[in-house]
Amino acid sequence: MDQKVSLPQLPNVALGQIFRNLDFLEVQPVRKVCQNLRSFIDNHHRLDSSLKYVSISVERGKFTVSYNFSDEDKKLSVVYENWPGGCFVQSQINGILRETYLEKQDSLEIFCNDFHNIWKNQKRELSSFSVEFFGENESSDFLNQCSSLLDNHFQIDQLHLFVTTSNQIISILKKVDPRCIVINNKNENRENLEIQDLMELNQWRNAERLFIRSFAISAPIQKFDHFKKVSVFFRTASWDDVSLLKEVNTTRQTCSNFEIFPEVSSRSE
């Protein structure tokens, strides 16, 4: 009588043959079967995530993430939400819906574990990375995890942030390297945004394009003249600032799209 052998009991050579026929998304559920399979996949069969777009929304006790891959037919979206006594996880992989309740588990912890596994396998530039915060208090636990969550400084073409405070921006921006930074105010009331600490980051200095929407800012225009394209709103600006802006636009062709929308002050500083 033939003895049946389960998947975790197969030798590494046989496991390697099996996993060679699976893509990144197909391998991920297998990682969660047991520790042996997870160790084999992480140590011997790590595949490039091949992410193209990533979008995360952060709410109180709820995290939603969408992954779009270089293969446009491959899509993964997951919702992690705290329920009484545990965490409810709803995922869609290429349109197939799966729902799981994890007793005595926390939504942030489960989200971080899954996200980090995908993020650490990314070997190429992302086209777009987006994070949306639904309030300041709701984001504090997530921001505390950012240092360990986003531990690869690979290039991102566009970073989109939907925020209410500058702290939310800094926590994300200092962990990635975007060419284009887009900051959106969730409150849409043109409140002031403190950006002094942002301007000290290498990511700020290295970025090529900057768009700050529905925030008012106050900072020396010289801090922006390295961008190839800028769209920001100054509540006030001196005539010296306007003169400098005119000089930048006429002497540096790369800044021809530099746009600032001030309520001009008549004082010269």
Side-chain angles (χ1 to χ4, degrees), residues 46-136:
R46 290 184 59 178
L47 297 173
D48 185 356
S49 303
S50 298
L51 292 171
K52 191 173 182 180
Y53 308 103
V54 178
S55 175
I56 302 171
S57 69
V58 180
E59 303 178 62
R60 184 183 296 275
K62 181 179 179 180
F63 304 89
T64 304
V65 57
S66 296
Y67 304 96
N68 287 61
F69 298 84
S70 297
D71 182 347
E72 296 183 357
D73 293 331
K74 305 289 186 181
K75 295 182 180 180
L76 168 63
S77 61
V78 190
V79 179
Y80 306 83
E81 185 173 6
N82 280 338
W83 280 19
C87 173
F88 175 71
V89 180
Q90 183 183 74
S91 64
Q92 279 196 336
I93 301 179
N94 298 332
I96 300 174
L97 180 65
R98 296 174 180 172
E99 298 180 337
T100 306
Y101 175 76
L102 303 174
E103 189 175 357
K104 298 181 180 180
Q105 299 292 319
D106 179 72
S107 59
L108 177 59
E109 181 179 357
I110 301 301
F111 160 74
C112 287
N113 289 338
D114 288 350
F115 179 85
H116 179 67
N117 177 63
I118 295 177
W119 185 264
K120 72 181 181 181
N121 285 289
Q122 181 70 9
K123 299 177 182 178
R124 65 188 71 186
E125 175 183 316
L126 276 181
S127 294
S128 176
F129 182 56
S130 172
V131 183
E132 182 174 9
F133 296 99
F134 287 85
E136 181 177 359

